[in-house]
Amino acid sequence: MLNVALLGFGVVGSGTAEILTENRELIKKRVGQEVNIKYILDLRDFPDSPFEKLIVHDFNIILNDPDVSVVAEMMGGSHPAYEFSKAALEAGKSVVTSNKECVAKFGDELLKIAAKNGCRYMFEASVGGGIPIIRPMMNDLTPVNVTAISGILNGTTNYILTKMSAGGVDFATVLANAQEKGYAERNPSADVDGLDAARKIVILTALATGIIVDADSIYCEGITKITEYDMDVAETFGYSIKLIGRFEKTKDGKILCMVSPRFVSANNPLYTVNDVFNGILVSSDMLDETMFYGRGAGKLPTAGAVVADILDIVSGLDSIKKLEWKRADAEDVADISEYSCRRVFTFEGTDVNKIEAVFGNIGQLVVNEGKISFVTSFMTEKDADELVAKCDMDLVSKFRIL
Ligand code: HSE
């Protein structure tokens, strides 16, 4: 029998307890031994819960119990999640986690500690909720060189953008509605400002390159400024607007990592990823494009990924055991000003000649409500900024095209 301790009895923690309990027999049959929840650590008591007797408030009880060999950390936030994970790994207990903040900030160190102590640090639930993405990237994509990743990595913002794209509602209204339905946190900043997606693309980038970039240092733009007008332009041009986490390996082997809302064309598989769903498109030298799709958030999908990691440990699969990440140095990271893509600009005004005089050969163009929106050819961030500065008209919005 394998004894696990759950850290945190919130949404994901209670989902993990539910799966391990309801599917106890199925799990036993599939992995050959019983998985037992010995403790659940939380600050609160749960007098009405069937798991009431398992609740403890002192992490040391778990740490000092030699019967506990796996700790599932689902507390969220960096602290004390990091300290508890580190102590558990140093004590030779494997840690599985759904905590993307902790993985993005401390994954390199925690993986090293796990390797040194003959145990494992696993984080399938940290990206894409219930979508198997970490394990496929580690296992199935091991023989290939991943050259780019584009991901809709945040369910909350994808829900908001999907509702906005239907028309007639602005960002603030949809956000309030999403909060009412429990799809968005009361403090939605990490989601709507893009930091949650930044942490997730940083983790995927580390899996692709072995190098972990600081999530707080990458270019990160959220969805708060997107207007109904932008949505109309996207529809007119045949695009949808999605918050995209993007990794690219540049020609000189550097890492480009960024999060921003983008125009996604109808022939891109991410175009149809709607509502709280996530989609991750991985480009590689041998497989071309591989698409991962599913529920990126939510109690049972995320808890299912936590349980999958626990069962991986029970089964003794050891591919991720060999994982090592190096913290990025300045020379590992590409200069974003050289990043090139096509763009959509909207300017205040109706003088198309002025736009053409500055931007040259432009693609689709629409003049509406006293504004001009148009698609550019490929240009770098630096060139785009220079052209905008040169244009004698007020910029309303700018988007990169995926
Ligand atoms: N707030 C996150 C999201 C939860 O909306 O995707 C899952 O990481």
Side-chain angles (χ1 to χ4, degrees), residues 160-312:
I160 293 171
L161 292 175
T162 304
K163 293 295 169 228
M164 283 179 75
S165 72
V169 271
D170 62 9
F171 171 77
T173 308
V174 183
L175 173 61
N177 184 262
Q179 283 170 316
E180 247 169 54
K181 288 192 165 145
Y183 291 157
E185 305 277 343
R186 221 165 283 156
N187 178 359
S189 169
D191 291 321
V192 299
D193 293 329
L195 183 57
D196 179 78
R199 290 172 179 143
K200 290 168 177 169
I201 193 65
V202 153
I203 294 170
L204 295 179
T205 300
L207 288 166
T209 63
I211 296 174
I212 183 124
V213 177
D214 178 7
D216 294 318
S217 73
I218 70 170
Y219 179 89
C220 182
E221 187 187 326
I223 64 161
T224 55
K225 293 188 188 126
I226 298 173
T227 62
E228 291 176 74
Y229 186 86
D230 296 324
M231 286 289 173
D232 287 346
V233 173
E235 195 184 348
T236 305
F237 289 168
Y239 293 83
S240 59
I241 302 180
K242 302 288 184 191
L243 184 66
I244 300 289
R246 174 80 179 165
F247 151 72
E248 274 179 36
K249 205 176 268 178
T250 60
K251 280 195 195 98
D252 52 357
K254 296 199 176 192
I255 292 169
L256 186 127
C257 215
M258 65 197 291
V259 172
S260 65
R262 292 200 182 213
F263 274 44
V264 177
S265 74
N267 56 18
N268 187 310
L270 295 175
Y271 176 86
T272 47
V273 175
N274 285 324
D275 296 309
V276 291
F277 284 84
N278 283 191
I280 302 159
L281 197 58
V282 179
S283 310
S284 65
D285 55 355
M286 301 295 160
L287 295 181
D288 198 356
E289 288 190 332
T290 315
M291 173 82 171
F292 299 85
Y293 172 82
R295 288 199 176 268
K299 178 177 170 173
L300 292 176
T302 310
V306 171
V307 174
D309 275 349
I310 296 172
L311 302 189
D312 198 328

Side-chain angles (χ1 to χ4, degrees), residues 12-77:
V12 183
S14 59
T16 301
E18 192 178 320
I19 294 175
L20 285 172
T21 308
E22 282 191 17
N23 287 358
R24 179 186 289 264
E25 286 309 314
L26 179 84
I27 287 169
K28 188 174 168 189
K29 204 165 140 197
R30 290 202 173 148
V31 298
Q33 63 171 304
E34 198 169 322
V35 177
N36 177 54
I37 306 170
K38 188 154 186 193
Y39 305 107
I40 300 174
L41 180 80
D42 203 287
L43 291 171
R44 300 160 294 178
D45 286 307
F46 295 86
D48 300 326
S49 163
F51 300 100
E52 181 198 359
K53 289 204 170 72
L54 304 180
I55 300 284
V56 294
H57 303 301
D58 179 2
F59 176 65
N60 287 314
I61 295 171
I62 294 165
L63 192 62
N64 296 327
D65 185 336
D67 286 347
V68 173
S69 49
V70 177
V71 169
E73 185 272 299
M74 297 157 293
M75 308 172 78

Side-chain angles (χ1 to χ4, degrees), residues 77-234:
S78 288
H79 307 286
Y82 160 70
E83 287 78 10
F84 288 177
S85 299
K86 186 175 171 181
L89 294 168
E90 281 170 343
K93 300 180 195 298
S94 289
V95 173
V96 307
T97 185
S98 58
N99 186 337
K100 56 247 160 171
E101 185 174 337
C102 205
V103 178
K105 272 196 189 152
F106 305 110
D108 50 336
E109 182 190 350
L110 294 173
L111 281 167
K112 265 194 203 98
I113 296 171
K116 195 172 151 202
N117 290 281
C119 51
R120 302 174 63 188
Y121 183 59
M122 301 179 71
F123 42 89
E124 181 63 65
S126 67
V127 180
I131 306 173
I133 176 65
I134 305 292
R135 214 177 319 276
M137 284 210 54
M138 273 312 302
N139 297 345
D140 309 86
L141 300 188
T142 301
V144 308
N145 181 19
V146 174
T147 50
I149 301 171
S150 296
I152 295 172
L153 299 168
N154 184 269
T156 304
T157 47
N158 205 41
Y159 173 83
I160 293 171
L161 292 175
T162 304
K163 293 295 169 228
M164 283 179 75
S165 72
V169 271
D170 62 9
F171 171 77
T173 308
V174 183
L175 173 61
N177 184 262
Q179 283 170 316
E180 247 169 54
K181 288 192 165 145
Y183 291 157
E185 305 277 343
R186 221 165 283 156
N187 178 359
S189 169
D191 291 321
V192 299
D193 293 329
L195 183 57
D196 179 78
R199 290 172 179 143
K200 290 168 177 169
I201 193 65
V202 153
I203 294 170
L204 295 179
T205 300
L207 288 166
T209 63
I211 296 174
I212 183 124
V213 177
D214 178 7
D216 294 318
S217 73
I218 70 170
Y219 179 89
C220 182
E221 187 187 326
I223 64 161
T224 55
K225 293 188 188 126
I226 298 173
T227 62
E228 291 176 74
Y229 186 86
D230 296 324
M231 286 289 173
D232 287 346
V233 173

